[in-house]
Amino acid sequence: MAIVEKVIDAPPQQVFNVLADGWTYSDWVVGTAHVRQVDDAWPRVGSQLHHRAGPWPFSLQDSSTVLACEPPHKLVIRAGLWPAGEAIVVFTLEPVGQGATRVRIAEDFAAGPLRWVRNKLNDLVLHQRNKETLNRLSDIATRQKDDR
């Protein structure tokens, strides 16, 4: 399991607002090329966002489903990328001091071929991807804070 965390200079609700806007996922989730559709109920349990991931012409279309949602502290998603597989991604948000949030991403492959191809290189790539994902999430959350 890859776990990455970052302190973002925005309160938990401000960061969660970005997670709750499914249309922004291609802006901050590394590897997501395009969001095709977002259920109106996103991010309620069972709701989905439909995305395309990977570079053209090899991009794959799939969807991600909310498994748990506890605003503004936790969001759990089953991210699909078939035929490669799917991952369970847990976002945990914890207040830190005045107006900051520690965001933790825990991600593990749950099904498909990626689940069986676990090695240090894959873990390193996943770690670096999630580190950049948190950097992008931070940029959006802090920009929204500054735009008010």
Side-chain angles (χ1 to χ4, degrees):
M1 175 179 294
I3 300 173
V4 179
E5 65 180 47
K6 177 180 182 75
V7 174
I8 296 176
D9 187 26
Q13 187 62 57
Q14 187 71 36
V15 177
F16 194 86
N17 289 346
V18 179
L19 299 178
D21 182 356
W23 290 106
T24 68
Y25 274 56
S26 60
D27 296 336
W28 58 271
V29 177
V30 174
T32 302
H34 176 69
V35 173
R36 299 177 288 120
Q37 180 183 351
V38 179
D39 289 355
D40 290 339
W42 183 269
R44 279 189 269 168
V45 172
S47 62
Q48 294 186 320
L49 66 82
H50 307 274
H51 49 77
R52 186 177 316 127
W56 184 88
F58 306 107
S59 61
L60 302 171
Q61 292 188 17
D62 209 329
S63 58
S64 294
T65 305
V66 176
L67 301 178
C69 182
E70 301 168 19
H73 302 290
K74 189 173 190 177
L75 182 64
V76 181
I77 299 171
R78 182 179 60 238
L81 193 56
W82 289 99
E86 64 186 29
I88 302 298
V89 185
V90 180
F91 296 93
T92 307
L93 288 70
E94 172 187 341
V96 178
Q98 292 290 350
T101 305
R102 175 176 290 110
V103 181
R104 182 176 298 116
I105 297 178
E107 182 172 6
D108 203 9
F109 298 117
L114 291 175
R115 184 174 183 196
W116 308 112
V117 186
R118 292 291 310 265
N119 60 45
K120 290 204 182 284
L121 179 60
N122 288 346
D123 287 347
L124 178 62
V125 169
L126 192 58
H127 179 84
Q128 292 302 316
R129 182 184 79 99
N130 286 343
K131 189 172 164 185
E132 177 60 21
T133 289
L134 285 181
N135 287 337
R136 293 178 186 188
L137 177 64
S138 176
D139 289 346
I140 293 170
T142 57
R143 182 177 68 229
Q144 286 182 352
K145 180 180 169 187
D146 293 342
D147 287 347
R148 287 192 282 153

